[in-house]
């Protein structure tokens, strides 16, 4: 069931649903005093031996919601694995695998009792409110309070219903309502029979236009027919009444694609390296056995074309394919290209789709109409039939990790799903995660390399700008170095395009009073609010708290307000002032929330209607803009300073990826990286585009400090509103962990305040568990959680995260 519990429940099935019930169906069940939608995950003819109850103690389920299972056996299997591996509630995982809005609402309804029927016979006064309510209930069986709002004012109705319930005339019960999202239907009209000459003479001019339009068409929607024929719907209705036209309903697909399929897909001649790699992948696909490949190709080396050819081969073998991408921003790019090759066989999954669009895409996949799925991490749960290939593009990206319950990693889940369904999996990246590259080195994955760009194009020339020297030169901090400004001028003088990246959105990082030194903190989190000038608000990027920007200090009342630090919004403004002739646009979380506008911006840039893009890391991934020859990275220092063992890896990946946006056409590219830490090894190796040297240096650090991939890691987060209680619970939890770790096979660190010690109104302490045995990590953590649960502590305030990508 989709609630935060870690166990399954056993119910007795009513006689009328026993034959129809199947695993994967949804069913209405009582839980406590509530009626909720649960999922059938198993059926038993007898009570399981480990169930310590009698048959009389088992509650009875209410009714089935579905006629056919909504979860395929494959989805039940992979969601069960996610629940077990990541210690996530199975019901929550299943819920995340289904399109949102499909669970029916449970509503309170009023039903007439036998006493109510008897009472109705004795009420003589027709205007009596009680009689009106009882008559309504007889005609409609069950009604909600809102259904009766027309019979009396609300306060009078509520009082009367309460009195009728006390007298036993009516009863309240919970019943299944409609799901918020369902199949969209529309009325269509078709020609029923040809007209005789006599009938034709009796037609009005409008009716003639309607029939002329319908002459060569099997069906048209009522709205389309009325608009095209310039008639009212009543004209169509009159023809239907005479038996000339007939109405029907048809399913309407809510198409999430913003543009139609291109007539002809682009075809490329494969390089020798691509051909060799594709042969290995196709051999695996033909065997129809599980195998995993790490496709390590530099930016612009043609990984996407390998993906497309592999998908073509998969479809030719009669199987289906799935492609995961890390960001919603990338789905328009890839989906349009896939659609050009595979047409309506492509379905798209991501959270920015409207509920109806997502429901229709999910339905097409489940019915087998779509055999190629592309989407973000939740697409790993798509009900694909006969899965043969899974592609995980930019496999290193942290956005594959679900950061709240139910926890899971989309990349790792995709690998396990491929393993369970005997499919081939391709992990692609120019900067693989250390874990994946280590797996390739040890033979767990097959390593495939594309070390050169298509056409022998050189990698962009990258160089570091030492901002310490820029500060000394100007005597104050500068947003843009002289070198970057000059590079922008020369680039656009040559009619080429540029990208400027700063991985921090908003206008200013925080607001400072120069009189008293006060900053504006988020009331819910231990962070300052970021100023967003477009909306004139102060915004928390963690809990989304917002408040108006101040005109005076909230502490001392003085008007010495100073905006400190820069975000992408301010960069855009400064660059427009410095280069008024350039057409500049911004891409970040604030702009990408408007899906159509976001796609239009990318299209305009690719077609040369925009000269410069300013944005966050969303610009670093997957985009192919042949006319971009300059990339400027304004600052990476904040990322390097994060208290996280992966900070160097993430910085290296970000710079390498964004550098890969430059020089992808026939002109050489240039990358300038501004930093106050010019000698950091992550920056040096990123400038050299040398992944292996970075890996060799970083892997030693990981091994020396016992971090993944050499140990399994779990992060235990204790949180709550009361700081004292959270601290004492964390200490108590640590004691239980030490008891469970009696053999000292795990190393336990903490408790300590989390780097973000207060988030979304809750105080947070964390404990880290490290061990060379992942099984031992779970054994220790599960034993401690069970112990504190048995002692009455609320487990909702204890989050266990397996293989965390961030310990923030």
């Amino acid at each position: 069931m989709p609630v935060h519990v870690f166990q399954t429940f056993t119910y007795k099935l009513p006689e009328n649903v026993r034959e129809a019930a199947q695993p994967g169906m949804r069913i209405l069940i009582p839980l406590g005093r509530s009626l909720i939608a649960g999922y059938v995950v198993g059926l038993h003819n007898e009570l399981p031996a480990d169930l310590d109850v009698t048959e009389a103690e088992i509650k009875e389920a209410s009714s089935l919601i579905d006629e056919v299972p909504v979860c395929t056996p494959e989805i039940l299997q992979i969601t069960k694995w996610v629940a077990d591996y990541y210690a996530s509630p199975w019901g929550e995982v299943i819920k995340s695998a289904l399109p949102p809005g499909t669970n029916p609402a449970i509503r309170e309804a009023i039903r007439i009792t036998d006493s109510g029927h008897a009472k109705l016979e004795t009420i003589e006064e027709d205007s009596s409110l009680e009689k009106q309510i009882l008559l309504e209930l007889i005609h409609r069986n069950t009604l909600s309070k809102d259904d009766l709002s027309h019979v009396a004012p609300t306060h009078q109705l509520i009082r009367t219903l309460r009195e009728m319930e006390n007298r036993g005339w009516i009863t309240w019960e919970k019943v299944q309502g409609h799901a918020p999202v369902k199949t969209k239907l529309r009325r269509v009209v078709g020609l029923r029979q040809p007209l005789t000459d006599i009938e034709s003479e009796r037609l009005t001019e409008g009716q003639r236009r309607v029939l002329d339009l319908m002459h060569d068409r099997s069906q048209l929607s009522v709205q389309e027919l009325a608009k095209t024929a310039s008639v009212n719907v009543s004209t169509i209705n009159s023809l239907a009444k005479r038996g000339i036209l007939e109405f029907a309903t048809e399913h309407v697909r809510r198409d999430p694609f913003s543009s139609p399929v291109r007539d002809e897909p682009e075809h490329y001649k494969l390089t020798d390296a691509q051909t060799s790699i594709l042969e290995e992948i196709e051999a695996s696909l033909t065997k129809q056995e599980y195998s995993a490949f790490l496709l390590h190709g530099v930016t612009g080396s043609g990984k996407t074309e390998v993906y497309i050819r592999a998908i073509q081969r998969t479809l030719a073998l009669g199987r289906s394919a799935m492609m995961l991408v890390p960001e919603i921003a990338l789905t328009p790019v890839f989906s349009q290209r896939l659609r050009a090759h595979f047409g309506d066989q492509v379905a798209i999954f991501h959270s920015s789709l409207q509920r109806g669009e997502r429901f229709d895409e999910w339905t097409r996949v489940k019915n087998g109409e779509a055999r190629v799925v592309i989407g973000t991490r939740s697409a790993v749960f798509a009900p694909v039939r006969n899965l043969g290939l899974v592609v995980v593009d930019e496999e290193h990206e942290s956005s594959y990790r679900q950061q709240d319950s139910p926890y899971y990693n989309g990349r790792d889940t995709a690998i396990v799903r491929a393993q369970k369904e005997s499919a081939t999996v391709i992990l692609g990246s120019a900067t693989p995660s250390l874990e994946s590259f280590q797996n390739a080195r040890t033979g767990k994955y097959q390593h495939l390399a594309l070390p050169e760009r298509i056409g022998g194009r050189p990698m962009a020339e990258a160089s570091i700008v030492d901002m310490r020297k820029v500060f000394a030169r100007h005597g104050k901090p500068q947003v843009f170095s002289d070198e970057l400004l000059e590079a922008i001028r020369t680039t656009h003088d040559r009619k080429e395009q540029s990208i400027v990246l700063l991985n921090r959105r908003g206008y200013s990082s925080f607001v400072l009073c120069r009189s008293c030194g006060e900053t504006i903190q988020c009331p819910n989190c231990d962070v300052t609010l970021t100023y967003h000038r477009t909306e004139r608000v102060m915004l928390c990027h963690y809990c989304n708290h917002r408040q108006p920007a101040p005109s005076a200090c909230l502490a001392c009342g003085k008007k010495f307000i100073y905006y400190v630090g820069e975000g992408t919004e301010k960069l855009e403004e400064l660059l427009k002032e410095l280069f008024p002739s350039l057409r500049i646009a911004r891409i970040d979380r604030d702009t990408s929330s408007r899906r159509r506008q976001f796609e239009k911006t990318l299209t305009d840039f690719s077609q040369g209607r925009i000269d410069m893009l300013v944005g966050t890391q969303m610009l670093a991934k997957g985009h192919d803009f042949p006319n971009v020859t300059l990339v400027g990275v304004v600052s990476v220092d904040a990322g390097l300073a994060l208290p996280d063992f992966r900070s160097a890896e993430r910085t290296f990946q970000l710079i390498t990826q964004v550098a890969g946006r430059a020089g992808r056409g026939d002109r050489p590219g240039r990358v300038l990286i501004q930093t106050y830490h010019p000698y950091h090894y992550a920056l040096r190796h990123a400038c050299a585009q040398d992944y292996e040297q970075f890996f060799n240096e970083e892997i030693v650090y990981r091994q020396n400090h016992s971090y993944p991939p050499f140990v399994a890691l779990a992060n235990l987060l204790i949180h709550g509103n009361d700081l004292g209680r959270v601290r004492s619970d964390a200490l108590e939890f640590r004691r239980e962990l030490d008891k469970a770790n009696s053999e000292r096979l795990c190393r336990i660190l903490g408790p300590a305040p989390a780097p973000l010690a207060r988030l979304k109104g809750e105080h947070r302490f964390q404990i880290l568990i490290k061990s060379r045995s992942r099984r031992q990590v779970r054994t220790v953590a599960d034993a401690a959680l069970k112990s504190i649960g048995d002692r009455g502590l609320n487990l909702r305030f204890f989050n266990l995260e397996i293989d965390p990508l961030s310990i923030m």
Side-chain angles (χ1 to χ4, degrees), residues 237-299:
N237 289 336
S238 66
L239 288 170
K241 287 178 181 177
R242 292 169 60 180
I244 299 169
L245 297 179
E246 61 181 351
F247 291 117
T249 57
E250 70 174 11
H251 169 249
V252 180
R253 178 189 169 196
R254 289 160 283 206
D255 192 346
F257 292 95
S258 58
S259 57
V261 180
R262 288 179 289 180
D263 292 334
E264 288 294 330
E266 295 176 288
H267 295 284
Y268 300 94
K269 185 178 185 336
L270 296 183
T271 64
D272 291 343
Q274 285 175 312
T275 302
S276 175
I277 283 171
L278 192 61
E279 286 173 355
E280 288 196 53
I281 294 171
E282 288 183 341
S284 169
L285 290 169
T286 303
K287 290 179 184 176
Q288 299 194 10
E289 297 175 353
Y290 166 74
S291 57
F293 297 93
L294 176 63
L295 179 54
H296 182 194
V298 299
T299 55

Side-chain angles (χ1 to χ4, degrees), residues 512-583:
L512 175 72
C513 174
R514 287 183 289 186
S515 177
C516 68
E518 188 73 14
T519 59
I520 300 180
Q521 297 280 328
C522 174
N524 307 314
C525 310
D526 276 348
V527 294
T528 55
L529 296 179
T530 301
Y531 176 50
H532 286 247
R533 188 170 183 176
T534 303
E535 299 180 74
R536 295 287 301 173
V537 297
M538 305 295 297
L539 180 65
C540 176
H541 290 170
Y542 290 93
C543 72
N544 207 35
H545 168 81
R546 56 179 60 215
Q547 63 189 60
S551 57
C553 177
L554 301 178
C556 70
K558 295 183 179 178
K559 296 191 176 183
F560 300 108
I561 298 296
Y562 182 51
Y563 295 95
V564 182
E566 299 82 25
T568 49
E569 195 178 343
K570 187 170 185 178
L571 251 61
E572 180 188 21
E573 179 186 277
L574 291 174
L575 287 165
K576 284 181 176 178
E577 290 175 359
L578 290 167
F579 303 98
S581 63
L582 295 186
R583 297 164 295 178

Side-chain angles (χ1 to χ4, degrees), residues 359-421:
F359 176 79
D360 286 355
E361 293 297 272
W362 178 85
T363 302
R364 291 198 313 120
V365 173
K366 189 172 184 296
N367 293 342
E369 298 169 28
R371 295 172 56 206
V372 180
V373 169
I374 178 170
T376 48
R377 62 173 175 262
S378 62
V380 73
F381 298 120
V384 178
R385 294 182 174 184
N386 194 14
L387 183 63
L389 174 68
V390 179
V391 176
V392 184
D393 192 42
E394 309 293 359
E395 64 85 27
H396 64 277
E397 279 293 337
S398 60
S399 52
Y400 282 122
R401 178 75 193 204
Q402 173 85 1
Q403 295 297 343
D404 48 26
S405 186
Y407 297 109
Y408 68 93
N409 187 308
R411 176 199 63 195
D412 296 345
T413 303
I415 294 168
V416 173
R417 184 169 181 187
Q419 195 171 22
K420 290 180 178 297
E421 299 187 41

Side-chain angles (χ1 to χ4, degrees), residues 469-738:
K469 294 180 181 178
V470 175
F471 180 89
R473 193 184 310 151
H474 291 271
K476 60 180 181 179
Q478 298 291 305
V479 178
F480 303 110
S481 63
D482 305 317
E483 294 88 337
L484 180 55
L485 292 176
E486 180 58 30
I488 291 173
R489 289 189 190 94
T490 56
T491 296
H492 292 283
D493 286 345
R494 297 194 301 264
K495 307 297 182 186
E496 297 165 357
Q497 293 171 299
S498 61
I499 290 174
V500 176
L501 179 137
L502 173 63
N503 204 22
R504 185 168 58 240
R505 62 190 175 103
Y507 187 85
S508 294
S509 303
F510 62 95
V511 173
L512 175 72
C513 174
R514 287 183 289 186
S515 177
C516 68
E518 188 73 14
T519 59
I520 300 180
Q521 297 280 328
C522 174
N524 307 314
C525 310
D526 276 348
V527 294
T528 55
L529 296 179
T530 301
Y531 176 50
H532 286 247
R533 188 170 183 176
T534 303
E535 299 180 74
R536 295 287 301 173
V537 297
M538 305 295 297
L539 180 65
C540 176
H541 290 170
Y542 290 93
C543 72
N544 207 35
H545 168 81
R546 56 179 60 215
Q547 63 189 60
S551 57
C553 177
L554 301 178
C556 70
K558 295 183 179 178
K559 296 191 176 183
F560 300 108
I561 298 296
Y562 182 51
Y563 295 95
V564 182
E566 299 82 25
T568 49
E569 195 178 343
K570 187 170 185 178
L571 251 61
E572 180 188 21
E573 179 186 277
L574 291 174
L575 287 165
K576 284 181 176 178
E577 290 175 359
L578 290 167
F579 303 98
S581 63
L582 295 186
R583 297 164 295 178
I584 301 174
R586 175 167 51 95
I587 294 286
D588 54 27
R589 292 284 180 201
D590 299 323
T591 60
S592 67
S593 61
R594 303 182 292 273
R595 178 159 61 102
R596 303 299 185 195
Q597 180 57 43
F598 171 73
E599 294 175 13
K600 182 179 183 301
T601 300
L602 289 178
T603 301
D604 287 347
F605 187 65
S606 67
Q607 295 178 357
R609 291 190 288 270
I610 294 173
D611 301 310
M612 177 191 290
L613 279 183
V614 179
T616 57
Q617 62 178 350
M618 297 176 73
L619 291 175
K621 307 164 188 174
H623 305 295
D624 189 359
F625 304 120
N627 198 38
V628 171
T629 59
L630 173 67
V631 169
V633 182
V634 171
S635 176
V636 293
D637 298 333
L640 283 173
L642 288 174
D644 194 315
F645 71 92
R646 285 193 171 92
S647 59
E649 180 184 11
R650 289 201 182 101
T651 301
F652 172 84
Q653 290 167 341
L654 176 64
I655 294 175
T656 304
Q657 291 285 342
V658 76
R661 302 314 111 203
R664 296 173 76 95
D666 54 4
R667 303 176 189 180
R670 186 182 180 194
V671 183
L672 294 178
I673 303 158
Q674 297 184 170
T675 179
Y676 285 92
H677 301 281
Y679 302 112
H680 196 287
Y681 68 95
L683 303 186
R684 286 189 290 104
H685 295 314
C687 282
Q689 303 276 300
D690 194 334
Y691 176 84
E692 294 223 14
Q693 284 301 314
F694 170 76
F695 175 87
N696 291 336
E697 197 160 343
E698 179 71 5
I699 203 74
V700 172
Y701 161 77
R702 297 282 185 92
Q703 189 166 23
N704 289 342
H705 292 82
S706 295
Y707 280 119
F710 298 101
V711 298
L713 185 65
N715 185 22
L716 289 145
L717 188 71
I718 303 94
H719 57 95
N721 297 323
D722 186 326
L723 176 59
R725 185 193 64 78
V726 173
R727 184 186 288 112
S728 65
D729 284 355
L731 291 169
E732 185 63 30
F733 195 20
R734 171 62 196 258
R735 284 190 284 271
E736 294 300 330
L737 286 168
D738 287 337

